[in-house]
Amino acid sequence: MEKLHIIKIGGQVLNHEAVLHSFLKDLQQVPEKKILIHGGGKLATRLADQLGQPQQMVEGRRITDADTLKIVTMVYAGLINKQLVAQLQALGIDALGLSGADMNCIQAKKRIVGAIDYGFAGDLGHDSVHADKLHALLHIGCTPVICSITHDGKGQLLNTNADTLAAAIAIAMNKRYEVQLNFCFEKKGVLRNSEDDSTLIHSLTEAEYHTLREEKVIHQGMIPKLDNAFSALNKGVHKVVIGHSMDIGPILLNTNNYGTRLGN
Amino acid sequence: MEKLHIIKIGGQVLNHEAVLHSFLKDLQQVPEKKILIHGGGKLATRLADQLGQPQQMVEGRRITDADTLKIVTMVYAGLINKQLVAQLQALGIDALGLSGADMNCIQAKKRIVGAIDYGFAGDLGHDSVHADKLHALLHIGCTPVICSITHDGKGQLLNTNADTLAAAIAIAMNKRYEVQLNFCFEKKGVLRNSEDDSTLIHSLTEAEYHTLREEKVIHQGMIPKLDNAFSALNKGVHKVVIGHSMDIGPILLNTNNYGTRLGN
């Protein structure tokens, strides 16, 4: 099967010009097909501050009221997506920016109101990602750049977690491709001590993950990312790597000693 | 040749829910292939006001400094584009939102600084529209929804006039399609008296246009739109109609007595 890289771009790439430049130059060297996924939470929070619209977060998830939905749509689907696409085009990568509404490539459901009303937050189901649409775009030579805005198919845009979206796309695409899912963020990978890069865990099985989690070695912020990652592996994704945005080149080229490789 | 509608959507459609609803329902009835073009100046000006960034306009053209470019990118490519796409999807139209950077479908040049520095304004040349890219998307069943943000191919986004963009796309597509270019705005068409809908001019040749312009019957705001329209006709576009957004159904279906038909 042909190889496909799904790459979740972290906030650091989007907020630092030098990191972005390094990331894009690395990407240019990778011959395989690619899909990029991004959010842009920090920039959205900054715009909300400028507009005097305080943001409410619950366990790292944004409460998306109607005004906040407009803000994240402007920042993710507009500013960040188009800046990324223009810079990829300048490097000769035929990027195409997408929200889930575009070509109906990802259809979500508004999160059911429980103890907390997350507003216009979109949850993904097993049939949310329309892999045939993404395949058609890859087939005509495009590199999709997908922001974490989806829709419900009835005209409503929804704000969806970008890590979850990346995992769902990886799972949906693995019928046609040998998928490597890459989460890029501001750490070297999964660390035993989150402040010390030299404590990088080079490979991690699900059993080891559960042990480290019980021992509280793996800290809170990493848990949803790792849950998404192991869920993808268990649903047939070939390989998952978590690493630093500056190391995306060696990670995509599968050079050892970069990032944390997940697998059983 | 197969028919293709290029439809420039005016501000009124984007700012009034009832007009938008009527417009989209009409669009749903039109079986031919379609490309939609939009800007969103009024919403951009509103956001700029909220952010305390006063906007400078010269003869109806926005001076696009770096901060203004971010605003128009967020509003046109983000908010308006994705809301339109989501609503079209809800009506069963397989919309795909695009800026000129996406798939490099429209590459512009930053306007040369003359007496006035328009900042990041993008001008179109004869080879700016990459018709093959748009054709590939139409071919796989998509309806492109193109906002008036382009790029220079070197990583820089640019703000481009939406009327000019619509005309340039119409001209570029006419090698493969019988193109009808439709400008929708807040008037019934070209009026002898801009305050009186009953003075609608049903058809207008270029010679008649020049006469009416000399007689000052055609007012300032219509001149760039009509210049774009006749330029498109002279370059092989099959038909150009200017009319009200609420009349888009009959205009696209070529019902008489709606809009102003331009031709020689």
Side-chain angles (χ1 to χ4, degrees), chain A residues 4-256:
Chain A
L4 171 67
H5 277 293
I6 312 279
I7 306 157
K8 157 69 201 305
I9 312 179
Q12 185 157 32
V13 177
L14 306 169
N15 300 327
H16 297 90
E17 211 168 311
V19 181
L20 178 60
H21 189 73
S22 150
F23 176 85
L24 296 175
K25 290 297 268 187
D26 276 359
L27 214 58
Q28 200 186 15
Q29 303 307 314
V30 177
E32 290 99 6
K33 287 193 164 67
K34 300 170 271 287
I35 296 178
L36 274 62
I37 324 285
H38 69 89
K42 280 179 194 162
L43 270 181
T45 300
R46 197 186 303 163
L47 179 61
D49 284 347
Q50 288 173 324
L51 292 169
Q53 291 177 9
Q55 298 293 287
Q56 250 190 298
M57 309 290 282
V58 178
E59 290 174 2
R61 301 278 164 128
R62 192 179 298 266
I63 306 281
T64 310
D65 62 13
D67 282 335
T68 297
L69 181 66
K70 285 185 184 174
I71 289 172
V72 293
T73 303
M74 290 196 290
V75 172
Y76 303 172
L79 189 61
I80 293 177
N81 192 270
K82 297 318 164 200
Q83 283 181 342
L84 272 173
V85 167
Q87 295 201 39
L88 286 163
Q89 286 289 347
L91 294 170
I93 295 172
D94 197 9
L96 167 59
L98 297 169
S99 72
D102 295 295
M103 292 178 77
N104 188 26
C105 62
I106 298 129
Q107 190 169 321
K109 282 202 166 73
K110 187 171 180 292
R111 188 170 303 160
I112 293 162
V113 177
I116 296 156
D117 181 358
Y118 284 93
F120 296 103
D123 285 331
L124 301 172
H126 66 94
D127 55 354
S128 285
V129 178
H130 297 151
D132 53 328
K133 300 298 186 76
L134 297 176
H135 176 68
L137 294 173
L138 290 167
H139 187 70
I140 60 171
C142 288
T143 294
V145 179
I146 307 178
C147 71
S148 57
I149 301 293
T150 60
H151 76 141
D152 70 355
K154 297 166 198 153
Q156 179 63 56
L157 295 169
L158 295 167
N159 183 20
T160 297
N161 179 272
D163 284 347
T164 313
L165 183 58
I169 292 172
I171 293 163
M173 297 305 281
N174 78 30
K175 285 176 201 74
R176 289 176 193 260
Y177 298 91
E178 184 189 302
V179 176
Q180 177 170 332
L181 171 60
N182 310 276
F183 288 103
C184 300
F185 73 140
E186 69 284 3
K187 303 279 181 190
K188 285 282 179 186
V190 184
L191 304 175
R192 285 190 175 271
N193 171 355
S194 68
E195 300 307 309
D196 181 356
D197 278 349
S198 76
T199 65
L200 174 67
I201 299 168
H202 291 280
S203 72
L204 188 66
T205 67
E206 195 162 8
E208 288 166 345
Y209 163 50
H210 287 297
T211 306
L212 289 173
R213 197 173 147 170
E214 275 160 34
E215 292 170 357
K216 315 243 181 236
V217 172
I218 287 177
H219 74 97
Q220 199 59 35
M222 281 303 288
I223 291 173
K225 209 180 280 289
L226 285 164
D227 283 344
N228 275 319
F230 281 109
S231 156
L233 276 177
N234 291 331
K235 285 174 180 150
V237 170
H238 185 71
K239 193 181 281 188
V240 182
V241 188
I242 299 182
H244 198 287
S245 307
M246 291 289 271
D247 297 336
I248 189 67
I251 286 171
L252 296 188
L253 295 166
N254 282 303
T255 312
N256 287 331

Side-chain angles (χ1 to χ4, degrees), chain B:
Chain B
M1 276 206 285
E2 195 178 357
K3 194 159 181 176
L4 171 66
H5 278 292
I6 311 278
I7 306 158
K8 157 69 200 305
I9 312 179
Q12 186 155 30
V13 177
L14 305 169
N15 300 328
H16 296 91
E17 213 168 310
V19 181
L20 178 61
H21 189 73
S22 148
F23 175 84
L24 296 175
K25 291 296 269 186
D26 277 359
L27 213 58
Q28 200 185 17
Q29 304 307 315
V30 177
E32 289 101 4
K33 286 195 165 68
K34 300 171 270 288
I35 295 176
L36 275 61
I37 324 284
H38 68 89
K42 279 178 195 161
L43 271 181
T45 300
R46 197 186 303 163
L47 179 63
D49 283 348
Q50 288 173 323
L51 292 169
Q53 290 178 9
Q55 298 293 288
Q56 249 190 297
M57 309 290 283
V58 178
E59 289 174 5
R61 302 277 163 128
R62 193 179 298 268
I63 306 283
T64 310
D65 62 15
D67 283 334
T68 297
L69 181 67
K70 286 184 184 176
I71 289 171
V72 294
T73 303
M74 291 196 291
V75 172
Y76 304 171
L79 190 61
I80 294 177
N81 192 269
K82 298 316 164 199
Q83 283 180 341
L84 273 172
V85 166
Q87 296 201 42
L88 287 162
Q89 285 288 348
L91 294 170
I93 296 172
D94 197 9
L96 167 59
L98 298 169
S99 72
D102 295 295
M103 292 178 77
N104 189 25
C105 63
I106 298 128
Q107 190 169 321
K109 282 202 168 72
K110 185 171 181 293
R111 189 169 303 160
I112 292 162
V113 178
I116 296 157
D117 182 357
Y118 283 93
F120 296 103
D123 285 330
L124 302 172
H126 67 96
D127 56 355
S128 285
V129 178
H130 297 151
D132 53 329
K133 300 297 186 80
L134 297 176
H135 175 68
L137 294 174
L138 291 166
H139 187 70
I140 61 171
C142 288
T143 294
V145 180
I146 307 178
C147 71
S148 57
I149 301 293
T150 60
H151 75 143
D152 69 354
K154 295 167 199 153
Q156 179 62 55
L157 295 169
L158 296 167
N159 183 20
T160 297
N161 179 272
D163 283 347
T164 312
L165 183 58
I169 292 172
I171 293 164
M173 297 306 281
N174 80 29
K175 283 174 201 77
R176 289 176 193 259
Y177 297 91
E178 184 188 303
V179 176
Q180 178 170 331
L181 171 60
N182 309 276
F183 288 102
C184 300
F185 72 139
E186 68 285 3
K187 301 281 179 189
K188 286 280 180 188
V190 183
L191 305 176
R192 283 190 176 272
N193 171 356
S194 67
E195 301 307 309
D196 182 357
D197 277 350
S198 75
T199 65
L200 175 68
I201 299 168
H202 291 279
S203 71
L204 188 65
T205 66
E206 195 162 8
E208 287 166 346
Y209 163 51
H210 285 298
T211 306
L212 289 173
R213 197 173 147 170
E214 275 161 36
E215 292 170 357
K216 314 243 182 237
V217 172
I218 288 177
H219 74 100
Q220 198 60 34
M222 283 302 290
I223 290 173
K225 209 180 281 289
L226 285 164
D227 283 344
N228 274 318
F230 280 109
S231 156
L233 276 176
N234 290 332
K235 285 175 179 150
V237 170
H238 186 72
K239 194 181 281 189
V240 182
V241 187
I242 298 182
H244 198 286
S245 306
M246 291 290 270
D247 297 337
I248 189 69
I251 286 171
L252 296 188
L253 296 166
N254 283 303
T255 314
N256 286 332
N257 300 326
Y258 288 92
T260 301
R261 261 137 243 277
L262 308 183
N264 295 309

